Amino acid sequence: MKQRLLFLGPPGAGKGTQAQRLAASEGLLHLSTGDLLRAEVQAATPLGQEAEAVMARGELVSDALVLAIVRSRLEQHSGGWLLDGFPRNLAQAEALDGLLSSLNQRIERVILLELDDAVLIQRLLGRGRADDNAEVIANRLVVYRQQTAPLVDHYEALGLLSRLDGAGSIEAIEARLAALLVD
Ligand code: ADP
Protein backbone atom coordinates (compact mmCIF):
# COMPACT_ATOMS: atom_id res chain seq x y z
CA MET A 1 0.00 0.00 0.00
CA LYS A 2 1.01 3.57 -0.65
CA GLN A 3 2.17 5.27 2.52
CA ARG A 4 2.19 8.96 1.56
CA LEU A 5 -1.17 10.16 0.38
CA LEU A 6 -2.95 13.38 -0.28
CA PHE A 7 -6.74 13.82 -0.23
CA LEU A 8 -8.20 16.51 -2.46
CA GLY A 9 -11.81 17.56 -3.01
CA PRO A 10 -14.45 20.16 -2.21
CA PRO A 11 -15.73 20.83 1.32
CA GLY A 12 -18.28 18.19 2.27
CA ALA A 13 -16.95 15.52 -0.09
CA GLY A 14 -16.00 13.29 2.84
CA LYS A 15 -12.22 13.70 2.89
CA GLY A 16 -12.01 13.88 6.66
CA THR A 17 -14.17 10.80 7.24
CA GLN A 18 -12.36 8.62 4.73
CA ALA A 19 -8.92 9.95 5.69
CA GLN A 20 -9.52 9.20 9.35
CA ARG A 21 -10.67 5.62 8.68
CA LEU A 22 -7.87 4.84 6.25
CA ALA A 23 -5.21 6.35 8.51
CA ALA A 24 -6.46 4.28 11.44
CA SER A 25 -6.54 1.01 9.50
CA GLU A 26 -3.16 1.53 7.82
CA GLY A 27 -1.36 3.16 10.76
CA LEU A 28 -0.75 6.43 8.92
CA LEU A 29 -0.55 9.88 10.44
CA HIS A 30 -3.77 11.74 9.58
CA LEU A 31 -2.89 15.39 9.12
CA SER A 32 -5.99 17.55 8.70
CA THR A 33 -5.13 21.25 8.58
CA GLY A 34 -8.81 22.07 9.28
CA ASP A 35 -8.77 19.97 12.47
CA LEU A 36 -5.41 21.37 13.55
CA LEU A 37 -6.60 24.94 12.98
CA ARG A 38 -9.85 24.31 14.87
CA ALA A 39 -7.80 22.94 17.80
CA GLU A 40 -5.74 26.15 17.81
CA VAL A 41 -8.93 28.25 17.76
CA GLN A 42 -10.37 26.18 20.62
CA ALA A 43 -7.23 26.61 22.69
CA ALA A 44 -7.21 30.36 21.88
CA THR A 45 -3.52 30.32 20.94
CA PRO A 46 -2.15 33.36 19.05
CA LEU A 47 -2.25 31.23 15.89
CA GLY A 48 -5.88 30.29 16.56
CA GLN A 49 -6.82 33.90 17.19
CA GLU A 50 -5.30 34.85 13.85
CA ALA A 51 -7.13 32.06 12.02
CA GLU A 52 -10.59 32.30 13.60
CA ALA A 53 -12.15 35.19 11.67
CA VAL A 54 -10.71 33.98 8.35
CA MET A 55 -12.17 30.51 8.88
CA ALA A 56 -15.54 31.94 9.88
CA ARG A 57 -15.70 33.69 6.49
CA GLY A 58 -14.77 30.49 4.65
CA GLU A 59 -11.57 31.98 3.32
CA LEU A 60 -8.08 30.52 3.42
CA VAL A 61 -5.78 31.05 6.36
CA SER A 62 -2.35 32.36 5.32
CA ASP A 63 -0.05 29.94 3.54
CA ALA A 64 2.78 30.67 5.97
CA LEU A 65 0.67 29.79 8.99
CA VAL A 66 -0.65 26.55 7.53
CA LEU A 67 2.76 25.53 6.24
CA ALA A 68 4.29 26.05 9.68
CA ILE A 69 1.71 23.66 11.17
CA VAL A 70 2.32 20.99 8.53
CA ARG A 71 6.10 21.34 8.65
CA SER A 72 6.31 20.82 12.40
CA ARG A 73 4.15 17.69 12.19
CA LEU A 74 5.96 16.11 9.22
CA GLU A 75 9.40 16.86 10.64
CA GLN A 76 8.56 14.96 13.80
CA HIS A 77 7.15 11.92 12.00
CA SER A 78 9.03 9.25 10.09
CA GLY A 79 6.26 6.88 8.92
CA GLY A 80 3.47 7.19 6.37
CA TRP A 81 1.02 10.08 6.29
CA LEU A 82 -2.22 11.23 4.81
CA LEU A 83 -2.69 14.94 4.17
CA ASP A 84 -6.28 16.17 4.28
CA GLY A 85 -7.16 19.79 3.45
CA PHE A 86 -3.61 20.72 2.50
CA PRO A 87 -2.39 21.89 0.03
CA ARG A 88 -5.29 24.16 -0.86
CA ASN A 89 -3.66 26.34 -3.52
CA LEU A 90 -0.68 26.17 -5.86
CA ALA A 91 1.60 28.12 -3.53
CA GLN A 92 0.95 25.57 -0.79
CA ALA A 93 1.58 22.71 -3.23
CA GLU A 94 4.94 24.21 -4.15
CA ALA A 95 5.82 24.79 -0.51
CA LEU A 96 4.90 21.17 0.23
CA ASP A 97 7.18 19.96 -2.58
CA GLY A 98 10.05 21.92 -1.08
CA LEU A 99 9.36 20.59 2.41
CA LEU A 100 9.11 16.99 1.18
CA SER A 101 12.31 17.12 -0.82
CA SER A 102 14.13 18.45 2.24
CA LEU A 103 12.78 15.39 4.09
CA ASN A 104 13.64 13.06 1.21
CA GLN A 105 9.99 12.11 0.78
CA ARG A 106 7.43 12.35 -2.01
CA ILE A 107 3.68 12.15 -2.54
CA GLU A 108 2.80 8.65 -3.77
CA ARG A 109 -0.85 9.18 -4.68
CA VAL A 110 -3.44 11.97 -4.74
CA ILE A 111 -7.06 10.93 -4.23
CA LEU A 112 -9.66 13.34 -5.59
CA LEU A 113 -13.04 12.87 -3.89
CA GLU A 114 -15.77 14.08 -6.24
CA LEU A 115 -19.38 14.99 -5.46
CA ASP A 116 -22.11 17.22 -6.93
CA ASP A 117 -22.51 20.69 -5.43
CA ALA A 118 -26.14 20.04 -4.45
CA VAL A 119 -25.12 17.01 -2.35
CA LEU A 120 -22.13 18.85 -0.87
CA ILE A 121 -24.32 21.72 0.28
CA GLN A 122 -26.88 19.36 1.77
CA ARG A 123 -24.22 17.46 3.72
CA LEU A 124 -22.57 20.63 5.03
CA LEU A 125 -25.87 22.17 6.12
CA GLY A 126 -26.63 18.94 7.99
CA ARG A 127 -23.26 18.96 9.76
CA GLY A 128 -23.78 22.27 11.52
CA ARG A 129 -20.17 23.32 12.22
CA ALA A 130 -19.61 27.05 12.92
CA ASP A 131 -18.66 27.66 9.27
CA ASP A 132 -21.49 25.48 7.89
CA ASN A 133 -24.18 28.08 7.20
CA ALA A 134 -25.51 28.73 3.69
CA GLU A 135 -23.59 31.95 3.05
CA VAL A 136 -20.20 30.67 4.26
CA ILE A 137 -20.67 27.32 2.47
CA ALA A 138 -21.25 29.17 -0.81
CA ASN A 139 -18.05 31.11 -0.23
CA ARG A 140 -16.06 27.97 0.61
CA LEU A 141 -17.20 26.42 -2.68
CA VAL A 142 -16.10 29.53 -4.60
CA VAL A 143 -12.74 29.46 -2.84
CA TYR A 144 -12.43 25.76 -3.69
CA ARG A 145 -13.17 26.31 -7.40
CA GLN A 146 -10.85 29.28 -7.69
CA GLN A 147 -7.90 28.28 -5.54
CA THR A 148 -7.94 24.54 -4.86
CA ALA A 149 -9.42 23.01 -8.03
CA PRO A 150 -6.34 23.99 -10.12
CA LEU A 151 -4.44 21.39 -8.07
CA VAL A 152 -6.41 18.68 -9.87
CA ASP A 153 -4.66 19.47 -13.18
CA HIS A 154 -1.37 19.96 -11.37
CA TYR A 155 -1.36 16.48 -9.84
CA GLU A 156 -2.92 14.87 -12.91
CA ALA A 157 -0.03 16.21 -15.00
CA LEU A 158 2.35 14.59 -12.53
CA GLY A 159 0.55 11.26 -13.00
CA LEU A 160 -0.41 11.11 -9.33
CA LEU A 161 -4.18 11.62 -9.46
CA SER A 162 -6.89 9.00 -8.82
CA ARG A 163 -10.57 10.00 -8.90
CA LEU A 164 -12.94 8.62 -6.30
CA ASP A 165 -16.73 8.93 -6.48
CA GLY A 166 -17.85 10.46 -3.18
CA ALA A 167 -21.52 9.44 -3.52
CA GLY A 168 -23.02 6.67 -1.40
CA SER A 169 -22.47 5.26 2.08
CA ILE A 170 -19.26 5.68 4.05
CA GLU A 171 -18.61 1.92 3.70
CA ALA A 172 -19.21 1.94 -0.06
CA ILE A 173 -16.73 4.78 -0.54
CA GLU A 174 -14.25 3.11 1.80
CA ALA A 175 -14.40 -0.07 -0.32
CA ARG A 176 -13.86 1.88 -3.56
CA LEU A 177 -10.95 3.69 -1.95
CA ALA A 178 -9.32 0.44 -0.82
CA ALA A 179 -9.64 -0.92 -4.37
CA LEU A 180 -7.88 2.17 -5.72
CA LEU A 181 -4.96 1.73 -3.35
CA VAL A 182 -4.20 -1.98 -3.72
CA ASP A 183 -1.22 -1.51 -6.03
P1 ADP B 1 -13.79 21.83 4.61
O1 ADP B 1 -12.89 21.14 3.64
O2 ADP B 1 -15.00 21.04 4.96
O3 ADP B 1 -14.11 23.23 4.21
P2 ADP B 1 -11.61 22.00 6.58
O4 ADP B 1 -11.76 21.48 7.94
O5 ADP B 1 -10.64 21.32 5.67
O6 ADP B 1 -13.09 21.96 6.01
O7 ADP B 1 -11.23 23.55 6.59
C1 ADP B 1 -11.99 24.49 7.33
C2 ADP B 1 -11.36 25.90 7.19
O8 ADP B 1 -10.01 25.89 7.70
C3 ADP B 1 -11.21 26.39 5.74
O9 ADP B 1 -12.39 26.97 5.24
C4 ADP B 1 -10.04 27.38 5.89
O10 ADP B 1 -10.48 28.60 6.44
C5 ADP B 1 -9.14 26.71 6.93
N1 ADP B 1 -8.11 25.85 6.29
C6 ADP B 1 -8.02 24.49 6.38
N2 ADP B 1 -6.95 24.04 5.69
C7 ADP B 1 -6.37 25.13 5.13
C8 ADP B 1 -5.25 25.34 4.29
N3 ADP B 1 -4.49 24.31 3.84
N4 ADP B 1 -4.94 26.60 3.92
C9 ADP B 1 -5.66 27.65 4.34
N5 ADP B 1 -6.74 27.54 5.12
C10 ADP B 1 -7.10 26.29 5.53
Side-chain angles (χ1 to χ4, degrees):
M1 243 273 306
K2 310 275 188 222
Q3 296 289 306
R4 304 197 200 277
L5 306 170
L6 203 154
F7 272 32
L8 203 59
K15 297 183 301 291
T17 303
Q18 294 299 330
Q20 198 176 5
R21 293 169 81 101
L22 183 66
S25 72
E26 296 295 328
L28 308 174
L29 171 71
H30 175 204
L31 240 171
S32 158
T33 45
D35 286 351
L36 292 169
L37 288 169
R38 279 184 290 277
E40 299 281 344
V41 171
Q42 196 68 32
T45 64
L47 197 153
Q49 282 167 346
E50 195 183 323
E52 188 169 16
V54 179
M55 293 172 75
R57 290 195 301 271
E59 280 154 25
L60 296 186
V61 172
S62 82
D63 294 342
L65 203 157
V66 173
L67 185 71
I69 293 183
V70 173
R71 171 180 285 124
S72 73
R73 297 300 194 292
L74 287 186
E75 281 176 351
Q76 290 166 28
H77 178 80
S78 55
W81 40 253
L82 206 168
L83 297 183
D84 159 16
F86 175 90
R88 241 174 167 92
N89 59 30
L90 280 167
Q92 291 182 9
E94 279 161 20
L96 175 61
D97 272 353
L99 169 60
L100 291 180
S101 48
S102 77
L103 296 172
N104 245 321
Q105 298 179 3
R106 62 183 184 85
I107 300 164
E108 293 171 351
R109 187 73 70 91
V110 177
I111 307 290
L112 172 65
L113 257 161
E114 299 181 295
L115 201 60
D116 289 345
D117 276 12
V119 186
L120 293 174
I121 292 167
Q122 234 175 7
R123 281 192 188 175
L124 292 169
L125 284 173
R127 190 167 69 178
R129 211 169 66 194
D131 57 349
D132 287 338
N133 61 73
E135 196 185 329
V136 176
I137 289 170
N139 196 34
R140 280 155 64 202
L141 286 171
V142 168
V143 168
Y144 176 77
R145 303 282 170 236
Q146 290 179 346
Q147 302 197 44
T148 312
L151 296 179
V152 174
D153 286 348
H154 174 75
Y155 288 117
E156 192 149 51
L158 294 171
L160 290 173
L161 195 82
S162 295
R163 292 170 189 270
L164 176 61
D165 179 5
S169 70
I170 290 175
E171 291 74 20
I173 300 159
E174 194 174 24
R176 292 199 289 268
L177 174 60
L180 269 184
L181 294 174
V182 280
D183 52 327

